[in-house]
Amino acid sequence: TYGGVYDGALADAISYATTNSIPILNISICGETFDSDLFDAIFNYPGLVVCAAGNYPGGHDIDNPLHRTYPACFLGSNIIAVGNSTSNDTKAYSSNYGQMSVDLFAPGEDIYSTIPNNLYDYYSGTSMASPLVAGVAALLLSIDSSLTTTQLRNAILGGVDYCSSLSNYCATGGRLNAYKAALNMHLIFHL
């Protein structure tokens, strides 16, 4: 299972998104075993898949084959894997990381969010960080709905704030920046 969700159900949900032209998915769950049905569903999905890198006390390097988390480690051209950063732009203690497997970090510590029964509370983790990246992707598509998945991914990854404290933990060495992603989108694709 992936975070309590059966592998087949997650693959079915992605297939539903494909059939119904849903352009962005956020997957805030992780599994430790490779699932070919899930891989195929994501590989065949034409939109952007934003994945939580996962959490572990002290954080794991998910580039290491002993600590892979899926779907973040699938390395597809339509995937953005997200680590969790603190308000000081450092890797959160529990956030997984990986210079090849994790693309960027996003704020994910003490995020005020909804909980059952119409209540709110503070939560931390990569599952709080990845929805911020998916939200920026939705913002960019609201500005220009003609963006391809590749353009959307490149705008987000090319618009990070570089942080030396994150440089050894992810491919871009940076933290999400919505403004720079939008500016990057405009500069790259509209000039």
Side-chain angles (χ1 to χ4, degrees):
T1 66
Y2 285 76
V5 175
Y6 289 102
D7 306 353
L10 185 53
D12 288 346
I14 296 167
S15 295
Y16 176 88
T18 300
T19 301
N20 291 280
S21 302
I22 296 169
I24 303 164
L25 297 179
N26 177 71
I27 302 179
S28 285
I29 55 177
C30 298
E32 295 177 355
T33 57
F34 181 90
D35 179 81
S36 60
D37 290 338
L38 180 59
F39 176 81
D40 290 343
I42 289 176
F43 182 79
N44 291 316
Y45 174 69
L48 185 68
V49 181
V50 181
C51 302
N55 311 289
Y56 189 82
H60 275 154
D61 180 352
I62 61 174
D63 291 342
N64 182 330
L66 298 175
H67 299 297
R68 299 237 193 263
T69 60
Y70 298 98
C73 286
F74 282 154
L75 298 178
S77 62
N78 64 332
I79 295 174
I80 295 178
V82 184
N84 167 21
S85 62
T86 68
S87 59
N88 295 322
D89 284 336
T90 59
K91 181 187 87 64
Y93 172 74
S94 65
S95 180
N96 287 340
Y97 58 93
Q99 287 186 310
M100 293 184 304
S101 300
V102 176
D103 294 298
L104 78 166
F105 278 72
E109 286 292 292
D110 297 321
I111 304 297
Y112 198 55
S113 184
T114 57
I115 60 172
N117 300 316
N118 296 319
L119 298 172
Y120 296 84
D121 204 350
Y122 291 92
Y123 283 90
S124 299
T126 59
S127 291
M128 302 308 291
S130 64
L132 295 178
V133 176
V136 169
L139 173 68
L140 298 184
L141 277 182
S142 76
I143 295 169
D144 185 348
S145 62
S146 72
L147 290 174
T148 67
T149 298
T150 299
Q151 290 172 331
L152 190 58
R153 184 176 187 274
N154 289 344
I156 291 168
L157 298 182
V160 299
D161 281 335
Y162 176 78
C163 303
S164 60
S165 57
L166 299 174
S167 64
N168 292 324
Y169 294 117
C170 66
T172 62
R175 187 228 336 112
L176 177 71
N177 183 313
Y179 175 75
K180 285 184 178 179
L183 182 62
N184 194 38
M185 174 192 76
H186 177 73
L187 290 175
I188 291 174
F189 307 118
H190 297 288
L191 289 181

